[in-house]
Amino acid sequence: MSETIETSSETITLTIDGQEIQAKAGQTILQAAQKNGIYIPTLCALHASKENGLKSDIAPGTCRICTVRVNGRTMAACTTPVAQDYIVENDTEELNDLRKTIVELLFVEGNHFCPSCEKSGSCDLQALAYRYQMLSPRFHYAFSSREVNAESPKLLFDRNRCILCRRCVLAITTEDGKQLFGFTKRGDKSGIIMDEELVKNISEEQAQQAMHICPVGAIIRKEKGFDTPFGQRKYDHNPIGSETVCTTCNGEKS
Amino acid sequence: MAQKITIEPVTRVEGHGKVTIHLDDNHQVTESRLHIVEFRGFERFVCGRPFWEAPVLVQRLCGICPVSHHLAAAKAMDMLVGAGDGNGLTPVAEKMRRLMHYGQIFQSHVLHFFHLASPDLLFGMDADPERRNVIGVILEHPELAKQAVLMRKYGQEIIAATAGKKIHGTGAVPGGINKNLSLEDRDAFLNGINGNPDLSADKMIEWSEAALALLLDYHSSHTDFLDGFATFPSNHLSLVRPDGALDLYHGVIRAVDPEGKRIVNDVDSRDYLDVVEEEVRSWSYMKFPYIKELGPKEGWYRVGPLARLNVCDFIPSPKAQAAFEQFRAYTKGKPNHMSMHYHWARLIETLHAAEMMKELLLDPDLQGTDLVTKGERCGEGIGLLEAPRGTLFHHYRVNEQDLITMCNLIVSTTNNNEPMNRAVNAAAVAQMTGKAEITEPMMNAVEVAIRAYDPCLSCATHAMGQMPLEVTLYDAAGAVLDQQRKGM
Ligand code: SF4
Ligand code: SF4
Ligand code: FES
């Protein structure tokens, strides 16, 4: 499974939801879908853009929200490369309910209080909850005990909202490639840790970028809270899924 | 035989409360209590959160006046980020916040007068409860009801334009504001929202004057009732501008005794802990504040519109000032202790809010772009303001990592706790002494006394005038003698 994706010029034909599309060998199903204006939801995968400062797409494959059926088998669209004549099911009732279940599980597993969360309105998890019309989760809240780490002078790291997507680990590095965030422990003990020294010296731009990369409100820039007014937040006007093709590169990058 | 009467829940106030009236063997009222039975716990669960979340988090205390909590917390955060203590903001930030606050005062006062209080005044306290509610007002006074709806809408739209949303916005941030007022919005508020001239600044002033005239008219024909009902001497406390003007957004703490003598003389709001202290009683979740120097027995005080007009020297807007002069002349310049005159004072403030909104809308500073100020950080922030229901205290301490470690909130209704208990007792003594039977109008009279204070018992949003009421009679041994229910 690739975390960054290389593509070649060989053309592949496959169908998604009955629509025949062309893709390049090495592309993932997700990339091929995005290029063709087909929406597959994501939480951990991130399309590279000027805005987020990424040079190539990332696909940690941790969240499974992009689950599709490929020739009848469930696969993660962000980590599965395209192959000739694949038949991909994506926008089906069954898969969308599965995705809703994942969203619900993420909500009960963390401690999400959207009303006071700065990421509210720009949060991918919240936006997916709206998309799949989550009213109240069908699972019991875990009321997990999660720590807030506010040691860094520029970043607040609120583990209550972290969905362990691993985006920060892959995408936020120093100029010489050192990772600022990393995973620790396993199973339900898994968590994100920071390199305290590196995070302490993070620039204002990088702090902003880290907040932007995190799909939820787990990484928050310190002190400057709530400076985006209502009406200007990411999902205030268009729900998640309406921006299928990346506007920065217009789907031309790959 | 001794009886205990329970009125639960109290209706047409925000939130749930319970009244118990204790009668002795001769049906004399021996004691009355207003119990606040809800518990919110915001002071605890804001701890551990980053300070800039506080203005957004704590406003969830209330669905009627969230703006007050939002702004009081933001004022405390201004202090934390070194943006002064209510006087260090940029003109656009200060004026946007003031506009937000006047929108809030306006809509809240209108809601209270028309929605919660006017049924008693229009139909009489002893009218059929089927009629004596907001639906009755709509059916029998449709023009008035329409005005009330549009006035409330206007205030709510002002809040939306300044805070981002009608309820629970994010406009005020530590050290300032996150947006200015667009020219489009300004023109709409001045000339009429969506081109409707009924939703214009001038109309709000006109209708506020009409509401005040309605109350004064009622007063002239019900003078004994309004002057005598639940009247008792008390201290009065509020913020005032340093020159003595009514100022609902920022000021110094002033309090007067029943004769009008200053007992707290313009103390800096940051020194509030030198002035007030709080007492806890076992039968209520609501604390009982009092002026420290006078102690709990003598030091309790009233806050809110009546107290503000008793404490300030003048109102800095012409029409409200004229109304204020009439109000002060009525008690010959002495503090007014008539609980029902809260309504009068509230409508004078409504008019003031309408005038202030217009004045602010005409101010080009609102289109400025310098939104936030920052200075030297400190670890403690105190923000006071005059919320619709009275003085609101917010106090926070923050650690070096920016997380809140201590929060103390004295909300407006808490300040009025002892006065409301006294008002309940005054009404109960007047209505129930020597009576063998408890009638619905008698119970309503007790509620009317509470309602004059416009309490926000839980800071909740569920008032429709149709809330269930349960009355239970107990004998001396605590056995239920009789039980009556309405609306259940
Ligand atoms: S991270 Fe997203 S889902 Fe979680 S509290 Fe914040 S807005 Fe809500
Ligand atoms: S901090 Fe944010 S980006 Fe990092 S793993 Fe948690 S949710 Fe993902
Ligand atoms: S987006 Fe594919 S696994 Fe997360």
Side-chain angles (χ1 to χ4, degrees):
Chain A
M1 269 179 217
S2 58
E3 288 182 339
T4 56
I5 301 119
E6 302 292 328
T7 58
S8 81
S9 55
E10 187 196 339
T11 302
I12 303 250
T13 304
L14 68 157
T15 68
I16 300 183
D17 292 335
Q19 181 188 339
E20 193 175 288
I21 62 161
Q22 311 289 313
K24 287 177 187 150
Q27 268 185 329
T28 62
I29 294 172
L30 176 68
Q31 287 172 320
Q34 284 176 336
K35 183 97 195 290
N36 286 276
I38 296 167
Y39 176 65
I40 299 176
T42 55
L43 274 172
C44 67
L46 190 59
H47 189 59
S49 72
K50 275 192 213 118
E51 211 188 359
N52 61 33
L54 277 185
K55 293 192 182 69
S56 51
D57 294 1
I58 55 166
T62 49
C63 75
R64 272 15 206 189
I65 197 84
C66 66
T67 297
V68 289
R69 277 193 189 280
V70 183
N71 295 348
R73 293 179 62 201
T74 46
M75 312 282 270
C78 70
T79 56
T80 307
V82 290
Q84 188 62 33
D85 299 330
Y86 263 0
I87 298 178
V88 179
E89 291 166 75
N90 163 46
D91 190 10
T92 67
E93 207 175 304
E94 184 211 355
L95 285 167
N96 286 334
D97 188 56
L98 197 70
R99 290 161 180 165
K100 185 179 179 184
T101 311
I102 293 172
V103 172
E104 290 177 16
L105 285 166
L106 289 171
F107 266 99
V108 298
E109 208 274 329
N111 301 307
H112 295 267
F113 184 65
C114 298
S116 75
C117 178
E118 190 181 343
K119 205 62 179 273
S120 197
S122 301
C123 167
D124 290 359
L125 179 64
Q126 185 194 55
L128 285 170
Y130 279 119
R131 181 177 177 96
Y132 295 117
Q133 297 175 3
M134 185 188 89
L135 295 176
S136 63
R138 67 195 100 165
F139 308 102
H140 291 297
Y141 283 96
F143 297 115
S144 320
S145 178
R146 304 270 194 91
E147 225 181 81
V148 174
N149 183 326
E151 301 279 336
S152 154
K154 294 222 175 56
L155 286 183
L156 176 96
F157 181 47
D158 188 343
R159 292 190 170 91
N160 291 294
R161 302 169 183 154
C162 175
I163 58 169
L164 298 172
C165 71
R166 213 156 161 257
R167 267 193 196 183
C168 55
V169 178
L170 296 177
I172 304 164
T173 55
T174 55
E175 292 220 333
D176 55 351
K178 286 190 196 128
Q179 291 180 326
L180 272 65
F181 295 87
F183 255 24
T184 178
K185 302 197 177 146
R186 284 168 178 272
D188 66 351
K189 306 272 183 312
S190 306
I192 293 285
I193 45 167
M194 295 190 254
D195 184 312
E196 304 280 347
E197 255 334 283
L198 292 179
V199 171
K200 204 193 281 172
N201 298 320
I202 198 169
S203 69
E204 182 56 38
E205 296 67 43
Q206 241 189 338
Q208 179 68 40
Q209 187 211 9
M211 178 165 170
H212 184 80
I213 294 263
C214 178
V216 291
I219 302 178
I220 295 284
R221 219 167 26 133
K222 265 189 165 177
E223 287 196 18
K224 275 193 73 174
F226 301 92
D227 52 354
T228 310
F230 287 98
Q232 293 174 31
R233 302 171 312 168
K234 193 169 165 193
Y235 300 116
D236 276 345
H237 300 289
N238 299 308
I240 195 165
S242 51
E243 74 305 343
T244 305
V245 176
C246 165
T247 47
T248 312
C249 61
N250 217 13
E252 293 307 316
K253 187 184 63 67
S254 50
Chain B
M1 185 181 292
Q3 295 175 328
K4 186 172 125 193
I5 302 157
T6 308
I7 302 177
E8 186 186 9
V10 174
T11 69
R12 275 188 285 131
V13 295
E14 268 85 60
H16 291 276
K18 183 171 98 171
V19 168
T20 53
I21 298 156
H22 303 257
L23 303 180
D24 66 11
D25 291 350
N26 302 318
H27 300 293
Q28 303 290 310
V29 175
T30 54
E31 196 186 0
S32 314
R33 284 172 174 177
L34 170 63
H35 306 251
I36 304 302
V37 292
E38 298 200 19
F39 180 71
R40 309 279 284 176
F42 272 74
E43 287 170 332
R44 272 306 286 148
F45 62 69
V46 74
C47 290
R49 299 307 308 168
F51 70 78
W52 56 92
E53 251 183 45
V56 179
L57 179 58
V58 294
Q59 67 177 335
R60 305 266 157 188
L61 260 164
C62 185
I64 298 285
C65 57
V67 170
S68 309
H69 292 286
H70 182 56
L71 289 177
K75 285 178 74 180
M77 299 313 140
D78 294 345
M79 252 180 91
L80 274 171
V81 300
D85 69 320
N87 48 15
L89 302 185
T90 65
V92 55
E94 159 131 16
K95 287 173 185 175
M96 280 293 282
R97 285 196 192 176
R98 281 180 177 272
L99 180 62
M100 193 195 297
H101 191 44
Y102 283 112
Q104 149 78 9
I105 295 271
F106 187 71
Q107 68 85 14
S108 175
H109 279 7
V110 165
L111 174 80
H112 182 265
F113 180 69
F114 288 103
H115 188 165
L116 305 179
S118 78
D120 293 318
L121 305 181
L122 292 169
F123 303 118
M125 278 202 305
D126 48 2
D128 181 356
E130 293 286 316
R131 189 165 158 247
R132 197 189 60 217
N133 56 46
V134 70
I135 307 295
V137 177
I138 293 167
L139 291 174
E140 294 190 36
H141 302 272
E143 261 316 296
L144 211 55
K146 186 182 146 203
Q147 278 179 22
V149 169
L150 293 179
M151 287 168 89
R152 181 139 197 273
K153 179 177 170 60
Y154 191 88
Q156 291 286 61
E157 295 291 347
I158 289 272
I159 295 171
T162 47
K165 275 205 301 172
K166 287 179 188 156
I167 301 175
H168 301 146
T170 58
V173 296
I177 196 97
N178 68 12
K179 64 184 294 215
N180 64 11
L181 190 75
S182 70
L183 284 169
E184 265 177 333
D185 278 345
R186 182 203 66 181
D187 292 345
F189 287 123
L190 284 172
N191 306 324
I193 300 167
N194 295 330
N196 179 357
D198 276 351
L199 282 168
S200 65
D202 285 332
K203 218 33 164 189
M204 295 306 120
I205 295 172
E206 185 190 318
W207 284 346
S208 301
E209 285 183 290
L212 183 57
L214 182 83
L215 183 91
L216 291 177
D217 187 44
Y218 179 84
H219 184 229
S220 61
S221 55
H222 296 77
T223 313
D224 289 350
F225 163 58
L226 282 191
D227 292 3
F229 187 79
T231 292
F232 51 88
S234 73
N235 305 311
H236 298 268
L237 180 142
S238 100
L239 297 177
V240 286
R241 207 165 71 182
D243 64 356
L246 177 76
D247 192 331
L248 302 173
Y249 176 73
H250 190 62
V252 289
I253 307 169
R254 183 186 283 185
V256 295
D257 75 2
E259 286 304 305
K261 196 174 124 257
R262 297 257 177 102
I263 46 178
V264 176
N265 197 7
D266 297 359
V267 171
D268 190 310
S269 60
R270 287 170 294 189
D271 298 326
Y272 86 98
L273 280 177
D274 295 343
V275 175
V276 293
E277 214 158 56
E278 296 174 274
E279 189 184 46
V280 179
R281 293 184 198 165
S282 60
W283 45 269
S284 180
Y285 279 125
M286 195 151 79
K287 290 184 276 187
F288 289 79
Y290 56 89
I291 293 166
K292 210 169 173 175
E293 215 182 313
L294 299 179
K297 273 219 160 54
E298 304 292 323
W300 58 274
Y301 53 85
R302 290 195 250 205
V303 297
L306 186 76
R308 288 193 283 252
L309 297 203
N310 282 331
V311 165
C312 76
D313 298 329
F314 67 98
I315 299 184
S317 71
K319 288 173 192 285
Q321 169 65 13
F324 171 73
E325 284 165 19
Q326 188 186 0
F327 175 87
R328 287 301 283 263
Y330 194 71
T331 51
K332 303 191 170 52
K334 292 278 185 204
N336 182 331
H337 300 302
M338 299 170 244
S339 293
M340 294 304 282
H341 287 208
Y342 260 98
H343 297 298
W344 185 358
R346 194 172 290 117
L347 289 171
I348 295 173
E349 287 191 343
T350 309
L351 177 58
H352 173 58
E355 289 182 285
M356 290 309 291
M357 286 190 291
K358 183 174 177 193
E359 188 183 310
L360 284 161
L361 287 167
L362 290 169
D363 191 328
D365 276 348
L366 282 186
Q367 278 76 48
T369 51
D370 196 2
L371 305 183
V372 176
T373 328
K374 294 259 162 93
E376 202 178 318
R377 270 286 309 277
C378 68
E380 190 157 7
I382 294 170
L384 268 63
L385 59 67
E386 285 297 325
R389 289 153 189 84
T391 318
L392 172 62
F393 303 67
H394 276 226
H395 182 187
Y396 304 85
R397 274 193 211 112
V398 174
N399 66 16
E400 279 174 2
Q401 300 174 358
D402 295 338
L403 303 181
I404 295 169
T405 53
M406 188 286 296
C407 168
N408 186 36
L409 310 173
I410 310 176
V411 305
S412 320
T413 298
T414 306
N415 290 298
N416 272 335
N417 199 359
E418 180 69 30
M420 285 192 299
N421 273 278
R422 296 205 177 221
V424 163
N425 198 53
V429 168
Q431 297 284 322
M432 297 181 183
T433 300
K435 304 272 168 56
E437 247 182 78
I438 308 303
T439 63
E440 197 278 340
M442 288 178 190
M443 294 187 300
N444 189 48
V446 171
E447 289 187 45
V448 166
I450 300 168
R451 214 175 284 139
Y453 291 80
D454 188 12
C456 184
L457 299 183
S458 71
C459 295
T461 50
H462 35 253
M464 254 309 282
Q466 293 290 338
M467 284 167 66
L469 176 72
E470 186 176 298
V471 183
T472 314
L473 299 184
Y474 297 93
D475 65 13
V480 175
L481 286 179
D482 190 15
Q483 195 165 53
Q484 288 189 30
R485 293 172 166 202
K486 71 172 189 181
M488 293 175 90

